[in-house]
Amino acid sequence: MHSSSGYGNGYHHQHQQHADKHFGPSLRDRARRGTRRGSGARSRDSRDGHGPSGGATVGLRVCEQQRPPTDFDMAYFHSYAHVGIHEEMIKDRVRTETYRAAIMQHQSSIAGKVVVDVGCGTGILSIFCAQAGAKRVYAVDASEIAVQANEVVKANNLSDTVIVLHGRVEDVQIDEEVDVIISEWMGYMLLYESMLGSVITARDRWLKPGGLILPSNATLYMAPITHSDRYSESIDFWRNVYGIDMSAMLPLAKQCAFEEPCVETITGENVLTWPQVVKHLDCYTISIHELETVTTRYKFKSMMRAPLHGFAFWFDVEFSGPALSPTNNHTPSSHVDDNPLNGSQRKKRANPNEALVLSTAPEDPPTHWQQTLIYFYDPMEVEQDQLIEGSVTLSQSKENARFMNIHLEYASGGRSFVKELVMR
């Protein structure tokens, strides 16, 4: 999980994983069980909140809301009150152990300092920071899981260090600047659920110049893929069902299987080319406005002859120190990154060769994020060295900013197509 350079290429060879035999559910199926990523943070000035029984929960602070949350926000926060979501995330050892390793790697920047944990969930990252010697940790979460987080903190005798704030980060009142912001904000396809905005809000409200943000930057990648087994399992199955021709089911089967992005695990054998960067996010400088729309053009050259079934998206995040500059004034970065892997176009990082990286690439150990797949309704045959080009635009839904609209244009071999999807 250590990168050999300051910035990974999104495709790592040091680990091999096996394909997940179960084809992952769509985002809609997962939504029925609750969303994946943690809540944006909030809190009140009062010292006591209320536990599930209605009694006072000592030590928990609950905040007055500056603006009423939307129904979508309330549903999102409510989904994170369920223990199963937190269990899934904590049991992801790649995720959890990388965060703990990053905290210990930056212990000199955390010990004796003030930390904010945005979307703290059960409070595990806050406790890791306390164990690393933090002077004070504000653990912030809008979900009712904050009640349990407060109990976890008390059970570990850390109430003097970890202060649990039940509320949105937009509402929380913290009467001091902070030295460190930590958050596990990444959603499927990196940007789904739009929680990075809460981290940016916390940064702009409280982070000291030169403060530390973990993770410090993130990169979203894409690559064309071939996946005949998946297509056969979901589509070709209908051509002959116990000797019966059910081909009439094919249009509906394609729509149901591939109408929405799918969260699945693939391997490097499914990937037809080297990946391309969709977007690099510098958490020290990016603005909330930049997250509204991300667009890039791509051009791939297939490394083999194979059916092209769609595109895979994955991400990595890096745990680096702050930019080496006189002040960290959170200047917004550019919308366009023509060569995102060229480090000369970014501010130099401290010890870039030692940066810890959490990767969700197909060739790395599997995580609960897996990869996000956008399948075509019909595969395209491509030859070795054949070009595959087009553009992709990711934009926050006007209906609900936590949803993501995807506009994909692709062309190859003289044929061109457009596919539009929504991650709900």
Side-chain angles (χ1 to χ4, degrees):
M1 296 192 299
H2 285 81
S3 175
S4 59
S5 62
Y7 301 97
N9 66 2
Y11 201 70
H12 305 274
H13 295 280
Q14 61 266 43
H15 303 287
Q16 178 65 40
Q17 69 184 59
H18 299 288
D20 190 341
K21 296 299 183 184
H22 169 71
F23 298 127
S26 71
L27 271 293
R28 179 176 295 170
D29 294 327
R30 287 174 178 262
R32 294 190 185 106
R33 300 197 300 268
T35 51
R36 192 230 56 96
R37 234 325 301 150
S39 336
R42 68 165 218 260
S43 136
R44 280 188 198 163
D45 286 335
S46 59
R47 293 278 173 168
D48 296 328
H50 296 279
S53 63
T57 304
V58 178
L60 182 68
R61 303 186 188 180
V62 185
C63 267
E64 296 295 341
Q65 297 171 359
Q66 300 302 311
R67 61 173 178 81
T70 66
D71 290 342
F72 288 116
D73 282 339
M74 292 303 296
Y76 174 70
F77 300 147
H78 180 70
S79 72
Y80 278 89
H82 194 285
V83 70
I85 295 173
H86 300 281
E87 180 181 348
E88 178 189 26
M89 292 188 287
I90 291 172
K91 284 183 174 178
D92 182 344
R93 298 185 67 89
V94 174
R95 163 201 180 268
T96 305
E97 291 183 353
T98 302
Y99 266 84
R100 180 164 62 177
I103 289 166
M104 297 313 298
Q105 185 180 65
H106 292 279
Q107 186 173 12
S108 62
S109 299
I110 294 173
K113 302 298 178 61
V114 180
V115 179
V116 169
D117 179 0
V118 178
C120 68
T122 59
I124 189 169
L125 300 185
S126 296
I127 292 174
F128 287 163
C129 288
Q131 291 173 341
K135 173 185 175 182
R136 188 159 39 257
V137 182
Y138 294 99
V140 192
D141 204 295
S143 166
E144 290 298 318
I145 198 67
V147 176
Q148 279 71 42
N150 189 62
E151 295 303 311
V152 171
V153 168
K154 288 195 296 182
N156 287 273
N157 300 315
L158 290 171
S159 296
D160 290 340
T161 302
V162 180
I163 301 168
V164 180
L165 304 176
H166 184 194
R168 297 179 300 181
V169 74
E170 295 81 5
D171 300 328
V172 162
Q173 296 302 314
I174 296 176
D175 297 327
E176 60 181 325
E177 291 187 313
V178 305
D179 304 282
V180 181
I181 294 174
I182 190 166
S183 180
E184 197 275 77
W185 53 265
M186 301 84 70
Y188 296 122
M189 209 170 169
L190 186 61
L191 297 175
Y192 175 61
E193 295 186 354
S194 189
M195 189 187 156
L196 180 55
S198 295
V199 177
I200 295 170
T201 297
R203 179 200 71 194
D204 293 346
R205 292 187 68 186
W206 302 306
L207 188 64
K208 292 179 180 178
L212 177 65
I213 304 177
L214 297 177
S216 55
N217 56 74
T219 307
L220 176 64
Y221 303 90
M222 69 179 293
I225 56 111
T226 184
H227 204 338
S228 295
D229 289 346
R230 173 69 159 96
Y231 199 84
S232 176
E233 177 82 10
S234 300
I235 307 303
D236 292 336
F237 159 79
W238 293 103
R239 298 184 189 279
N240 186 332
V241 182
Y242 296 100
I244 301 171
D245 180 359
M246 289 196 173
S247 299
M249 293 293 296
L250 288 175
L252 179 61
K254 292 176 183 179
Q255 179 181 356
C256 292
F258 304 141
E259 181 180 27
E260 297 181 354
C262 301
V263 177
E264 303 172 7
T265 297
I266 60 172
T267 72
E269 294 179 355
N270 298 113
V271 182
L272 291 174
T273 74
W274 292 103
Q276 180 171 319
V277 171
V278 176
K279 181 67 176 177
H280 176 80
L281 307 174
D282 186 330
C283 296
Y284 292 99
T285 61
I286 192 165
S287 67
I288 291 178
H289 175 68
E290 286 181 75
L291 301 178
E292 293 175 1
T293 301
V294 170
T295 187
T296 191
R297 296 201 60 82
Y298 60 83
K299 181 180 291 186
F300 298 103
K301 182 182 289 187
S302 180
M303 293 180 175
M304 66 188 82
R305 180 181 182 182
L308 169 62
H309 288 101
F311 290 92
F313 294 79
W314 64 86
F315 64 87
D316 61 34
V317 296
E318 181 183 291
F319 297 84
S320 304
L324 297 180
S325 57
T327 59
N328 183 6
N329 58 6
H330 318 313
T331 303
S333 57
S334 170
H335 257 286
V336 180
D337 198 346
D338 293 327
N339 188 1
L341 293 181
N342 183 351
S344 65
Q345 294 186 5
R346 306 201 198 113
K347 294 181 179 179
K348 186 179 179 181
R349 297 286 176 196
N351 300 319
N353 292 331
E354 299 177 10
L356 194 62
V357 173
L358 169 57
S359 172
T360 66
E363 288 299 320
D364 277 313
T367 71
H368 75 283
W369 286 285
Q370 302 178 273
Q371 291 83 41
T372 300
L373 287 298
I374 294 178
Y375 287 103
F376 305 154
Y377 291 123
D378 296 290
M380 300 170 60
E381 292 294 331
V382 296
E383 302 292 331
Q384 183 174 342
D385 296 329
Q386 183 171 323
L387 290 180
I388 304 163
E389 56 188 326
S391 65
V392 62
T393 298
L394 313 176
S395 57
Q396 293 178 358
S397 169
K398 296 286 193 295
E399 175 190 8
N400 176 7
R402 299 192 188 279
F403 295 169
M404 185 164 65
N405 297 326
I406 304 169
H407 179 88
L408 177 67
E409 299 181 11
Y410 56 100
S412 190
R415 304 169 66 195
S416 60
F417 302 89
V418 175
K419 185 165 187 176
E420 295 188 336
L421 312 89
V422 180
M423 293 183 75
R424 295 184 174 88

